[in-house]
């Protein structure tokens, strides 16, 4: 646990969603005005509360990750003794793991696409066959029954076996790469349930995509490869154990997240930039190269399978299957007046995106109340959404009139009831098609491909597009949050493309831009307005459309949509992070944090627990049993200092981790006399590799009364180079340092030396730097915050 987690939170259940806070003057605040500053979890109004978050189906304790290199004597000796061959082997193995991440992600993504296209495709063909025979009721029963069965499989797996597999998983990946260890997020069971659940949920026609789950699946693959397999069946090869630490695991999960985006959109550069812009907190050039290598492998795998399936050996997975929006046939020409519709699209996208975030926030809070009632309610909620979705997809096409086919089209093209095509016959007579059925009774990928199609200015009627847009707005709000794997990309793309086409029809006489291109721009603007991505999203759409000429107008749309959206509320992923209670450190500190010092934070916490360089076993056991701290400063008194200093100085030797103390107790590395150990004595008992692993608990250690009186030399295991800050440093500056370096502990040292002043006055951890916790501990800052906002 964190250094500040010395008391367990008294209340760990989720709070009612209508909880109201009180302002400084005693007046009640509107609960909606503080919804983001008060997550769903109740926390004590102190800096010593345990971090809690909603992980999967329950409230869990949250730990931070040790990304910092622990430079103790063992680590220094290990790097000094490594030969060039061993260093090259370590680097080579990093590339091998990056290759395996890309390979396995590409294979699993292809299998998911194959399954979805065939299950959903044959299901829709069977339903249409009933419609052709005018057995409309049987068609609905078959479609709804199949969708309910697929939804049941996905929901039951998530509820009963892997609750962390529900949802997209991207917010939790962002939190992990930010330094938050969310339990059970990257296990083998989670990955298997995510794969099967994604197939079931997407095949059931629910308004969700497989893009978010693919990012999570790629991260699970990377994590499992890095740690040698599942927790209960790990491979203990020596070379693989070098990667079983938080730092290397973080790099692998970054490669996995980028590979998942690449597998979803077939956009390798976009996947790398998505990882850089959206999920990763830490980045460096070496990681950039390995991430790009992983996404390149994914593209090669996808292209290979596409070539194989073009022969027709993959069932309905033929021409499509992978999301590929090809508008490269559009002749892109610009005029000064075309800037007006482009700007309008961006503004509408920003407004709609922020409105979508606001409404989804309310729906998720409502769903939290329902999900608290138990597993049965979670499954029933999923089935209710599935039944409503089936009724809308099947029934709404009956409300629109049939459209005669264009005489210029071949009879084999219009109408058709085949697996793919732009002109679905549905219930229409020969020579006519139903434009709404073309969009609704199709797989998700085909629906996107149809609405993005070019040179089809007369194919879709405005009324049909309006119904399609309204339906998917409703479905997107009520589908996300149920207990199935779900992605946000596809619902937002469908909504955005619908209003983009409607805007294209409205401005048909003022611009020459194709309606298919309007749909692409609409989808891009709504994604930027909701997710607040710019660079990565721009590159993804360029790779999808195969048209570099779209770059200027795409950039304009994305910049405008993000700017408009940011003026209303945070991105959807930030909202989900706050709702789950995950202690995510933002890139930019609050302005009022410059008015508070880290010394004042230290005063609000309990006194620091320190250990001596040579400590008794009894003291170590007592500290470990009575606290949940993760790190302890090691202090030596009466040290003979260098020339020029007073004799009997106090030395801050460094910081020792809880896991290392547990290792010492488990291995019984005790001595009867109080002395410093030799370097060879340490190397005989410990290796740097095993100390990098976080395993073992104090409850598993048995120490006899005789051993309690023995001593332990902590010097060789202590990190002698911990990061420190002076107590006069502002919280804002400390937060930037903490986040950019990926720290778990930050020692606070006094500004002045004086008698009675300890050498370490406090330890900053992630929980101490969360704005919500600081405001709870320092209520007077609320007025400062309001005043700064007014300025």
């Amino acid at each position: 646990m964190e250094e500040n987690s010395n008391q367990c939170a008294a209340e760990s259940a989720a709070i009612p969603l209508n909880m109201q806070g009180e302002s400084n003057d005693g007046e009640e605040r509107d609960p909606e005005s503080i919804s983001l500053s008060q997550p769903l979890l109740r926390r004590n109004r102190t800096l010593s509360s345990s971090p809690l978050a909603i992980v999967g189906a329950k409230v869990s304790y949250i730990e931070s990750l040790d990304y910092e290199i622990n430079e103790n004597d063992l680590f220094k000796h290990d790097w000094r003794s490594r030969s060039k061959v061993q260093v090259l082997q370590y680097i080579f193995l990093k590339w091998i793991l990056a290759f395996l991440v890309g390979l396995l992600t590409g294979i699993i993504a292809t299998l998911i696409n194959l399954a979805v296209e065939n299950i959903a495709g044959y299901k829709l063909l069977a339903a249409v066959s009933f419609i052709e025979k005018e057995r409309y009721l049987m068609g609905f029963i078959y479609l709804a029954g199949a969708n309910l069965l697929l939804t049941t499989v996905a929901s039951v797996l998530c509820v009963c076996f892997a609750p962390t597999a529900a949802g997209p998983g991207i917010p939790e990946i962002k939190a992990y790469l930010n330094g938050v260890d969310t339990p059970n997020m990257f296990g083998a069971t989670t990955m298997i349930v995510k794969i099967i659940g994604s197939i079931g949920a997407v095949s059931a026609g629910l308004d969700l995509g497989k893009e978010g789950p693919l990012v999570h699946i790629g991260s699970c693959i990377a994590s499992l490869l890095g740690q040698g397999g599942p927790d209960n069946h790990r491979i203990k090869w020596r070379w693989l154990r070098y990667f079983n630490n938080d730092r290397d695991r973080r790099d692998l999960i970054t490669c996995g997240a980028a590979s998942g985006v690449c597998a979803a959109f077939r956009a390798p550069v976009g996947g790398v930039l998505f990882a850089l812009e959206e999920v990763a907190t830490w980045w460096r050039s070496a990681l950039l190269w390995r991430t790009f290598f992983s996404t390149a492998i994914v593209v090669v795998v996808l292209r290979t399978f596409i070539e194989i399936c073009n022969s027709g050996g993959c069932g309905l997975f033929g021409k499509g299957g992978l999301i590929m929006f090809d508008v490269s046939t559009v002749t892109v020409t610009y005029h000064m007046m075309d800037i007006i519709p482009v700007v309008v699209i961006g503004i509408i996208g920003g407004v709609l995106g922020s409105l979508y975030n606001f409404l989804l926030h309310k729906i998720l809070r409502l769903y939290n109340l329902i999900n608290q009632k138990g597993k049965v309610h979670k499954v029933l909620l999923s089935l209710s959404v599935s039944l409503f979705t089936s009724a809308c997809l099947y029934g709404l096409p009956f409300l629109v009139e049939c459209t005669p086919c264009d005489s210029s089209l071949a009879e084999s093209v219009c109408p058709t009831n085949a697996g793919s095509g732009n002109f679905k016959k549905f219930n229409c007579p020969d020579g006519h098609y139903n434009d709404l059925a073309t969009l609704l009774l199709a797989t998700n990928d085909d629906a996107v491909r149809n609405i993005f199609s070019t040179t089809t200015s007369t194919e879709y009627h405005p009324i049909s597009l309006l119904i399609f847009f309204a339906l998917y707005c409703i479905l997107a709000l009520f589908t996300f949050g149920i207990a199935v794997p779900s992605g946000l990309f596809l619902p937002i793309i469908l909504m955005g493309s619908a209003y983009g086409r409607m805007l294209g029809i409205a401005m048909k006489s003022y611009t020459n831009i194709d309606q298919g291109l309007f749909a692409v721009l609409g989808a891009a603007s709504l994604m930027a307005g909701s997710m607040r991505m710019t660079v990565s999203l721009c590159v993804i759409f360029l790779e999808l459309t195969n048209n570099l000429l779209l770059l200027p107008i795409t950039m304009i749309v994305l910049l405008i949509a993000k700017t408009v959206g940011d003026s209303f509320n945070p991105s959807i992923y930030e909202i989900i992070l706050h709702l789950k209670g995950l202690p995510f450190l933002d890139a930019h500190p609050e302005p009022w944090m410059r008015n508070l010092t880290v010394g004042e934070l230290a005063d609000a916490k309990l006194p620091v627990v320190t250990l001596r360089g040579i400590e008794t076993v009894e003291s170590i056991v007592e500290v470990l049993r009575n606290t949940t701290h993760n790190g302890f400063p090691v202090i030596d008194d009466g040290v003979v200092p260098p020339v020029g200093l007073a004799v009997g100085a106090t030395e801050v030797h460094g910081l020792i981790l809880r896991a290392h103390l547990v290792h010492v107790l488990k291995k019984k590395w005790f001595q009867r006399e109080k002395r410093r150990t030799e370097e060879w004595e340490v190397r005989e008992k410990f290796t740097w590799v095993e100390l990098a692993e976080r395993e073992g608990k104090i409850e598993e250690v048995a120490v006899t009364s005789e051993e309690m009186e023995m001593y332990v030399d902590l010097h060789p295991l202590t990190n002698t180079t911990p990061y420190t800050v002076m107590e006069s440093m502002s919280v804002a500056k400390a937060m930037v340092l903490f986040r950019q370096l990926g720290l778990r502990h930050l020692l606070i040292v006094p500004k002045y030396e004086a008698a009675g002043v300890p050498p370490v006055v406090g330890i900053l951890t992630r929980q101490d730097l969360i704005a919500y916790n600081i405001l709870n501990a320092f209520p007077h800052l609320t007025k400062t915050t309001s005043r700064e906002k007014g300025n």
Side-chain angles (χ1 to χ4, degrees):
M1 286 297 163
E2 300 296 302
E3 154 67 22
N4 61 354
S5 306
N6 123 302
Q7 295 178 347
C8 293
E11 297 162 306
S12 60
I15 63 171
L17 299 186
N18 59 354
M19 171 184 171
Q20 294 187 359
E22 291 187 1
S23 59
N24 287 338
D25 54 7
E27 296 180 0
E28 290 188 349
R29 293 192 212 171
D30 179 11
E32 301 302 337
S33 67
I34 56 172
S35 56
L36 286 185
S37 62
Q38 291 194 352
L40 293 177
L41 298 177
R42 186 192 303 273
R43 303 182 192 272
N44 294 335
R45 291 184 178 273
T46 173
L47 282 175
S48 61
S49 62
S50 294
L52 298 168
I54 298 177
V55 179
K58 59 184 179 181
V59 175
S60 302
Y61 289 103
I62 296 295
E63 290 193 49
S64 290
L65 295 161
D66 292 311
Y67 289 151
E68 181 186 357
I69 294 178
N70 199 329
E71 293 185 348
N72 52 32
D73 292 347
L74 282 173
F75 171 82
K76 294 173 183 176
H77 175 268
D78 179 78
W79 277 100
R80 285 197 306 265
S81 61
R82 284 191 186 185
S83 63
K84 290 184 178 180
V85 174
Q86 289 176 314
V87 173
L88 291 175
Q89 181 187 31
Y90 176 66
I91 296 173
F92 177 73
L93 290 175
K94 282 187 175 182
W95 287 91
I96 290 295
L97 289 177
F99 169 81
L100 291 175
V101 168
L103 178 67
L104 295 177
T105 303
I107 292 174
I108 291 177
T110 304
L111 295 177
I112 291 176
N113 279 283
L114 282 170
V116 169
E117 288 293 309
N118 283 285
I119 294 174
Y122 285 116
K123 176 196 69 177
L124 292 172
L125 288 177
V128 169
S129 66
F130 284 108
I131 295 175
E132 291 178 339
K133 300 173 184 177
E134 297 185 357
R135 301 174 62 187
Y136 301 121
L137 181 59
M138 283 301 301
F140 173 71
I141 293 174
Y142 176 84
L143 182 68
N147 289 343
L148 284 174
L149 177 62
L150 293 168
T151 305
T152 301
V153 172
S155 184
V156 169
L157 285 176
C158 286
V159 170
C160 298
F161 297 98
T164 52
I170 294 179
E172 289 84 357
I173 296 171
K174 284 189 65 172
Y176 183 90
L177 297 180
N178 190 258
V180 181
D181 186 13
T182 49
N184 305 318
M185 275 305 300
F186 304 109
T189 304
T190 300
M191 184 184 70
I192 294 171
V193 170
K194 199 83 173 185
I195 294 171
I196 300 174
S198 296
I199 294 173
V202 177
S203 300
L206 296 174
D207 186 21
L208 45 83
K210 53 186 177 290
E211 298 79 20
L214 278 175
V215 177
H216 191 184
I217 291 169
S219 300
C220 289
I221 293 171
S223 177
L224 292 171
L225 286 174
Q227 67 183 16
D231 292 335
N232 300 329
H233 306 283
R234 287 189 180 182
I235 300 173
K236 295 295 184 179
W237 295 341
R238 178 175 175 79
W239 64 268
L240 191 57
R241 292 182 69 188
Y242 279 107
F243 299 93
N244 196 13
N245 60 80
D246 293 338
R247 191 179 183 88
D248 286 324
R249 193 174 176 216
R250 172 191 63 187
D251 291 351
L252 272 176
I253 289 178
T254 304
C255 293
S259 299
V261 174
C262 175
F265 295 105
R266 215 190 315 169
V269 180
V272 175
L273 292 176
F274 176 84
L276 170 61
E277 180 183 12
E278 187 63 21
V279 297
T281 300
W282 170 269
W283 200 266
R284 62 184 187 278
S285 58
L287 180 59
L288 176 68
W289 279 101
R290 285 201 302 275
T291 306
F292 186 68
F293 176 64
S294 294
T295 58
I297 298 300
V298 173
V299 171
V300 172
V301 173
L302 296 180
R303 175 55 60 185
T304 301
F305 275 97
I306 289 175
E307 293 295 331
I308 295 173
C309 292
N310 279 340
S311 60
C314 299
L316 297 178
F317 185 89
K319 175 185 175 184
L322 296 169
I323 296 182
M324 186 63 182
F325 320 128
D326 187 4
V327 295
S328 57
T329 56
V330 179
T331 302
V332 181
T333 57
Y334 299 109
H335 303 286
M336 285 301 297
M337 293 302 297
D338 291 334
I339 299 297
I340 297 177
V342 170
V343 171
V344 171
I345 288 178
I347 295 174
I348 295 177
V351 173
L352 291 180
S354 58
L355 179 61
Y356 173 75
N357 292 357
F358 173 80
L359 295 176
L360 186 60
H361 180 207
K362 306 302 177 186
I363 297 296
L364 291 177
R365 284 184 164 270
L366 173 64
Y367 278 5
N368 182 71
L369 283 178
I370 299 174
N371 292 335
Q372 283 180 9
K373 297 182 179 179
K375 296 180 178 180
V376 175
H377 287 81
K378 290 183 178 182
V379 176
L380 290 177
L381 177 62
S382 302
L383 296 180
S384 300
V385 173
S386 176
L387 185 61
F388 176 74
T389 302
S390 300
C392 293
L393 297 181
Y394 187 86
L396 288 179
F398 287 98
L399 301 180
V400 301
E401 298 180 354
C402 295
T403 305
C405 292
D406 194 335
S407 57
S408 62
L409 298 174
E411 293 183 2
S412 59
V413 175
C414 181
T416 179
N417 275 331
S420 60
N422 278 63
F423 305 96
K424 294 294 180 67
K425 183 178 179 181
F426 194 60
N427 62 332
C428 297
D430 293 338
H432 292 70
Y433 70 94
N434 189 310
D435 59 343
L436 190 54
T438 300
L439 299 175
L440 297 182
L441 287 181
T443 62
N444 290 338
D445 293 354
D446 280 337
V448 175
R449 201 172 290 110
N450 292 340
I451 201 168
F452 273 31
S453 58
T454 59
T455 63
T456 53
S457 58
T458 59
E459 178 179 347
Y460 302 104
H461 295 285
I463 298 299
S464 299
L465 290 173
L466 183 61
I467 294 174
F468 178 82
F469 175 70
L471 172 64
Y472 270 87
C473 285
I474 296 172
L475 294 180
L477 289 172
F478 288 96
T479 304
F480 188 81
I482 63 176
V484 297
S486 57
L488 282 168
F489 283 92
L490 191 86
I492 293 176
I493 287 175
L494 289 172
M495 287 189 292
S497 58
Y499 91 75
R501 265 200 177 265
M502 288 190 292
L503 190 61
I505 293 175
M507 294 191 170
K508 182 168 56 176
S509 59
Y510 300 100
T511 179
N512 295 323
I513 299 178
D514 188 90
Q515 289 184 19
L517 181 54
F518 264 105
V520 173
L521 296 177
S525 68
L526 192 58
M527 290 183 72
S530 176
M531 300 180 179
R532 312 294 155 77
M533 296 186 296
T534 52
V535 179
S536 58
L537 195 58
C538 182
V539 174
I540 287 174
F541 270 90
L542 289 181
E543 290 182 282
L544 293 177
T545 55
N546 291 331
N547 198 328
L548 194 60
L549 295 175
L550 299 179
L551 179 61
I553 56 176
T554 305
M555 292 175 64
I556 293 174
V557 164
L558 294 176
L559 288 171
I560 294 175
K562 183 185 185 304
T563 303
V564 173
D566 283 338
S567 63
F568 291 102
N569 51 31
S571 72
I572 186 62
Y573 292 136
E574 293 180 27
I575 290 175
I576 296 173
L577 283 170
H578 282 88
L579 287 176
K580 287 180 173 289
L582 293 172
F584 185 85
L585 283 184
D586 295 320
H588 305 289
E590 298 289 341
W592 50 264
M593 289 183 177
R594 302 195 180 279
N595 302 327
L596 188 70
T597 65
V598 295
E600 293 174 301
L601 286 187
D603 293 339
K605 299 176 60 175
L606 295 176
V608 180
V609 178
T610 61
L611 296 173
R612 290 170 293 179
I614 301 176
E615 189 62 87
T616 62
V617 175
E618 182 180 9
S619 298
I620 295 175
V621 171
E622 183 181 357
V623 164
L624 292 179
R625 287 179 177 173
N626 295 331
T627 70
T628 56
H629 301 178
N630 179 69
F632 305 90
V634 176
I635 308 296
D636 279 332
D637 295 321
V639 177
V640 178
V643 178
L645 297 179
V647 178
T650 300
E651 176 193 11
V652 180
H653 189 73
L655 186 78
I656 190 164
L657 299 181
R658 183 185 191 88
H660 295 174
L661 293 174
V662 174
H663 270 292
V664 167
L665 297 179
K666 291 179 73 173
K667 291 205 170 188
K668 307 289 184 181
W669 193 57
F670 310 145
Q671 51 193 14
R672 297 189 179 277
E673 65 274 10
K674 187 176 181 179
R675 67 175 180 86
R676 295 283 292 261
T677 55
E678 300 293 335
E679 188 174 326
W680 61 268
E681 293 181 271
V682 186
R683 296 202 304 271
E684 277 188 347
K685 202 73 174 179
F686 301 98
T687 64
W688 177 77
V689 175
E690 67 181 359
L691 287 181
E693 300 176 358
R694 295 188 302 159
E695 295 180 356
K697 298 179 179 178
I698 183 59
E699 292 78 12
E700 302 170 355
V701 180
V703 183
T704 65
S705 57
E706 182 182 357
E707 291 170 337
M708 286 287 195
E709 299 177 357
M710 302 176 74
Y711 296 92
V712 177
D713 182 15
L714 301 179
H715 294 97
L717 305 179
T718 301
N719 178 12
T720 57
T721 59
Y723 287 94
T724 61
V725 295
M726 294 179 61
E727 61 181 344
S728 58
M729 178 181 284
S730 70
V731 173
K733 194 171 183 179
M735 177 181 171
V736 172
L737 177 68
F738 196 96
R739 185 182 191 274
Q740 290 183 348
L741 295 178
L743 303 180
R744 183 167 184 173
H745 311 96
L746 191 59
L747 301 187
I748 305 173
V749 297
K751 187 174 182 179
Y752 303 102
E753 288 188 12
V757 178
V760 177
V761 298
I763 294 184
L764 279 183
T765 60
R766 170 179 301 274
Q767 204 67 16
D768 301 331
L769 297 172
I770 301 299
Y772 170 75
N773 294 337
I774 297 175
L775 289 175
N776 280 342
F778 299 90
H780 68 277
L781 291 175
T782 306
K783 294 182 179 179
T784 306
T785 307
S786 303
R787 184 166 57 251
E788 288 175 347
K789 285 183 178 180
N791 293 337

